Amino acid sequence: MARYYDVHPEDPQPRAIAQIVELVRAGGLIAYPTDSCYALGAQLGNKDALDRIRAIRRLDNKHHFTLVCRDFAQLGQFVNIGNDVFRSIKSVTPGSYTFILPATKEVPRRLLHPKKKTVGVRIPDNNVVQALLAELGEPLLSSTLLLPDQEDPLTQGWEIKERLDHEVDAVLDSGDCGAQPTTVVDFSSGTAEILRRGMGDPSRFE
């Protein structure tokens, strides 16, 4: 059964955050709120958790996983980003956008798009996630919590606990964080291509 944490959305309790991060470091898979719907999260090098995410969402090997980063210093370790692209991303970050960029050698091969060698990155505008990332000290491997039989992501912590009680190790509930996923912008060719229109304003990249 998944552990259930009721976390304050603005001022998350340090003890709860520490327990959740300890679980992540021990190989756990969590469901957590972001600034644009819930996500599944795990430690970067955790192959077992990656396979569990693929199974829960029924994903193929072309799916772009996302590295949820605390700041640009962290993001820059994992993707190659030129000055023009950096300025474009900086103007909307932190925020509800995921950016597809060429990965550095710091990213495990199994996370990369098999042909493009790219990965998704984002810096969310959410206090709970920022507290998790500060405690963890590295990006969180993530994927939107969109189940294969659902058109919309799950939005309520109790509902996620009910649906995924035996498939995740912990559920963080900090209230409703909306049902819209991030806007996904592919910068792997150097120019912006919008792959998904979501919570972030896509007109910034059109």
Side-chain angles (χ1 to χ4, degrees), residues 72 82-93 99 187 192 204-205:
F72 271 100
N83 289 336
D84 289 346
V85 174
F86 175 84
R87 281 193 290 271
S88 294
I89 293 175
K90 180 86 170 161
S91 68
V92 296
T93 300
F99 300 100
F187 268 115
R204 303 287 295 267
F205 300 98

Side-chain angles (χ1 to χ4, degrees), residues 7-14 17 33 125-131 173-176:
V7 181
H8 193 281
E10 298 302 324
D11 191 18
Q13 303 91 317
I17 295 296
D125 186 13
N126 179 280
N127 288 2
V128 174
V129 186
Q130 286 291 340
D173 190 347
S174 62
D176 193 330

Side-chain angles (χ1 to χ4, degrees), residues 63-185:
H63 176 76
H64 269 112
F65 284 93
T66 298
L67 304 182
V68 176
C69 300
R70 186 182 181 192
D71 51 30
F72 271 100
Q74 199 174 71
L75 184 146
Q77 296 173 42
F78 296 92
V79 290
N80 294 306
I81 181 168
N83 289 336
D84 289 346
V85 174
F86 175 84
R87 281 193 290 271
S88 294
I89 293 175
K90 180 86 170 161
S91 68
V92 296
T93 300
S96 304
Y97 296 87
T98 298
F99 300 100
I100 308 298
L101 289 160
T104 67
K105 291 191 168 117
E106 299 292 317
V107 182
R109 185 183 292 273
R110 67 179 74 95
L111 297 186
L112 304 180
H113 187 282
K115 289 185 178 175
K116 297 179 178 179
K117 308 303 181 201
T118 47
V119 71
V121 287
R122 66 174 300 221
I123 302 172
D125 186 13
N126 179 280
N127 288 2
V128 174
V129 186
Q130 286 291 340
L132 283 174
L133 295 170
E135 181 74 17
L136 184 61
E138 62 182 62
L140 204 53
L141 161 66
S142 285
S143 183
T144 303
L145 182 39
L146 181 60
L147 300 180
D149 58 342
Q150 302 283 313
E151 284 189 21
D152 297 311
L154 298 175
T155 61
Q156 303 291 336
W158 63 265
E159 185 184 11
I160 293 165
K161 171 92 163 75
E162 212 169 73
R163 287 289 299 270
L164 299 178
D165 204 18
H166 299 287
E167 296 180 76
V168 300
D169 300 300
V171 176
L172 284 69
D173 190 347
S174 62
D176 193 330
C177 59
Q180 250 193 317
T182 56
T183 291
V184 179
V185 184

